[in-house]
Amino acid sequence: MDTLTRDALTVLQPGFTGTTAPGWLLRRLGEGLASVGLFGRNITSPEQLAKLTAQLRAECEDVLVAIDEEGGDVTRLEVRTGSSFPGNLALGAVDDTGLTRAVARELGRRLAACGVNLNWAPSADVNSDPDNPVIGVRSFGADPQLVARHTAAYVEGLQSAGVAACTKHFPGHGDTAVDSHHDMPRIDADLGTLHARELVPFRAAVAAGTKAVMSAHILLPALDPRLPATLSPAALHGLLRAPAADGGLGFDGLVVTDGMEMRAVAGTYGIERGSVMAIAAGADAICVGGGLADEDTVLRLRDALVDAVRCGELAEERLADAAARVRALAAPAPLGEAVAPAPEVGLEAARRALRVTAAPGWKPLDSAAYVAAFAPVANIAVGDETPWGVGAELARLLPGTTTDTYGPGAAAAAVLAAAGNRRVVAVVRDAHRHPWMADALRALLTARPDTAVVEMGLNQAPPAGAVHVATHGAARVCGTAAAEALVRGAA
């Protein structure tokens, strides 16, 4: 196969369906494909994942096996059980960079043991808009300096375990009220604000040695009035790559796009044209496979890149440079040394992240309770297949506890009827963003003031209930920590 076609395959990071590698993927690895993206649908257990990555490496030893494993609400390793690690907001709430580094190191150890060597994490977004529909608890917080120090600690911890970090979503997805999975977000901040807020954590990540950075499909008119960052030379060449002396970040590692099938790009440019524009703008790897996971997608993008070079739309040197960066990161040079297991660090972090506000006279639960989980529609990054809440752990601690899930239109009367004379635990997620949820909770507390409230999203609403437990995330360990606090009165 000619060099141009190999380079076009090399810059792709595709996904696939199934828990073993399909024949077409293995063939393309032999032809130059150098990266594979894994999602929850590809994983059933650590043992199965290790066999899958071994299957990929038997075909191509120097392959980047990437995964979207943030911990917290966004987990692929534990997609069916919930994560053993709290997410970024919980770590930011504790604000112990040593703990963040330890959590990322243990997460990296588990990924490396399964053969994964690139993690599309951490999220370095400053969550300056509390109504942000897609970042929220995936951010360390709203303060740029706090986000910066924890982003750096996360990068260091992850990479010390031999897994490359991919810091995202450059130049910052925190000040958006639109989910780029569905449409094009726009940030109207001026360049001064961008440098003082959004870019601070990315500078810290570059200083910490992040091996990769993921671009965001967001429009920042102050930077580029026409093109989203993923497709913008001003954002990638002119800001991310430019030397620090020229006001840039001086990043020389791998630039990966966010998923090209997301509507912000696919709905405006199409994935073929969008991929060509991204490479031309300075991206090195095209992430595709969350929604489009077939051979036809890989061949369409490969051929679009080849055709763009042949017709002069894309410089051959730019494609070759992008492919070289992919191969450099894929080369099997170890990033870290053997890491000792720290299996309880995630639960420790979740416990430390709790914020418990108890009204006078509140007493811990001591008998079977009724859990009413008020559930918003999950965003695509999180997915709706990952369980969350406190019900399972409360049922273990207090046998007979049951849980029902309520959506928009939920009525307090239905909760009261199901609860009977049991104490009620109301579990909410971003109650400040969902008027229906806040209304249902208010009505429930009016009828049953002894209700316990567990907020597992962004803790923006004032504490309410006989006891209010803010977990700063909905990972499995956050539910465990909250249940312990309700039963044992621990904070």
Side-chain angles (χ1 to χ4, degrees):
M1 184 169 289
D2 64 271
T3 300
L4 175 57
T5 305
R6 290 190 71 86
D7 285 350
L9 274 172
T10 297
V11 301
L12 303 179
Q13 291 192 343
F16 62 94
T17 56
T19 54
T20 58
W24 68 261
L25 185 68
L26 298 175
R27 285 195 303 276
R28 302 305 169 191
L29 285 170
E31 295 173 0
L33 187 68
S35 307
V36 176
L38 300 180
F39 298 86
R41 63 178 181 247
N42 304 123
I43 300 166
T44 58
S45 69
E47 295 76 19
Q48 169 269 327
L49 178 55
K51 288 180 181 176
L52 171 56
T53 59
Q55 183 188 15
L56 297 172
R57 290 208 165 82
E59 193 63 45
C60 174
E61 182 184 6
D62 299 352
V63 63
L64 277 176
V65 181
I67 199 168
D68 193 6
E69 180 57 55
E70 300 176 15
D73 291 27
V74 180
T75 178
R76 310 305 176 211
L77 276 184
E78 300 178 279
V79 68
R80 290 166 187 83
T81 60
S83 181
S84 299
F85 305 94
N88 286 3
L89 188 65
L91 296 172
V94 178
D95 196 13
D96 177 346
T97 53
L99 180 65
T100 295
R101 193 174 292 106
V103 166
R105 188 174 171 90
E106 173 62 14
L107 182 59
R109 184 193 69 79
R110 296 188 189 187
L111 290 172
C114 296
V116 175
N117 57 356
L118 172 62
N119 190 10
W120 293 318
S123 168
D125 306 293
V126 178
N127 199 59
S128 51
D129 184 348
D131 290 331
N132 192 315
V134 69
I135 302 301
V137 297
R138 301 168 65 197
S139 166
F140 289 110
D143 176 75
Q145 297 299 330
L146 179 144
V147 176
R149 61 180 172 265
H150 286 279
T151 296
Y154 195 108
V155 166
E156 292 163 358
L158 187 66
Q159 293 189 164
S160 72
V163 176
C166 183
T167 305
K168 62 188 183 185
H169 305 81
F170 179 83
H173 210 312
D175 190 27
T176 59
V178 171
D179 184 345
S180 52
H181 291 91
H182 301 299
D183 208 343
M184 180 79 75
R186 175 185 173 113
I187 295 179
D188 286 311
D190 57 32
L191 283 177
T193 301
L194 190 68
H195 279 275
R197 187 177 65 188
E198 272 76 14
L199 295 179
V200 174
F202 288 96
R203 291 187 191 280
V206 172
T210 186
K211 299 290 182 179
V213 168
M214 178 176 282
S215 66
H217 306 329
I218 54 176
L219 188 69
L220 297 102
L223 190 60
D224 189 321
R226 191 172 61 89
L227 296 171
T230 292
L231 311 182
S232 170
L236 302 186
H237 278 311
L239 183 59
L240 183 55
R241 293 277 192 222
D246 297 335
L249 274 65
F251 179 63
D252 195 39
L254 190 75
V255 177
V256 183
T257 72
D258 207 343
M260 294 302 285
E261 63 268 61
M262 292 163 63
R263 297 304 299 167
V265 168
T268 307
Y269 303 95
I271 62 167
E272 293 96 336
R273 182 170 173 233
S275 296
V276 170
M277 293 172 70
I279 297 294
D284 304 307
I286 301 296
C287 176
V288 63
L292 298 171
D294 52 59
E295 183 176 24
D296 180 61
T297 299
V298 172
L299 298 182
R300 281 164 55 202
L301 297 186
R302 179 200 68 182
D303 294 347
L305 291 165
V306 170
D307 292 345
V309 170
R310 287 179 175 157
C311 76
E313 186 181 351
L314 174 63
E316 186 168 3
E317 305 77 49
R318 170 79 273 271
L319 180 61
D321 171 61
R325 290 181 190 275
V326 174
R327 294 186 190 109
L329 187 55
L335 289 168
E337 66 284 344
V339 175
E344 292 300 310
V345 69
L347 182 56
E348 174 201 343
R351 287 168 174 158
R352 290 178 62 185
L354 291 186
R355 298 294 178 266
V356 180
T357 307
W362 177 78
K363 289 183 171 53
L365 304 180
D366 58 4
S367 59
Y370 177 72
V371 180
F374 295 96
V377 176
N379 72 60
I380 290 174
V382 174
D384 58 9
E385 69 269 46
T386 302
W388 64 282
V390 301
E393 184 65 13
L394 267 182
R396 188 182 69 80
L397 295 172
L398 300 173
T401 294
T402 59
T403 301
D404 287 316
T405 300
Y406 298 85
V415 176
L416 296 171
N421 60 6
R422 292 177 293 175
R423 291 175 71 178
V424 178
V425 178
V427 183
V428 295
R429 201 165 174 178
D430 292 344
H432 71 285
R433 285 205 304 119
H434 303 286
W436 68 266
M437 191 183 296
D439 290 345
L441 183 60
R442 196 176 303 113
L444 178 59
L445 292 175
T446 299
R448 289 284 298 269
D450 64 339
T451 294
V453 178
V454 180
E455 170 62 82
M456 302 195 79
L458 208 60
N459 188 35
Q460 288 289 121
V467 64
H468 184 275
V469 181
T471 62
H472 302 97
R476 174 173 51 80
V477 285
C478 296
T480 299
E484 291 174 348
L486 292 172
V487 172
R488 297 167 188 161

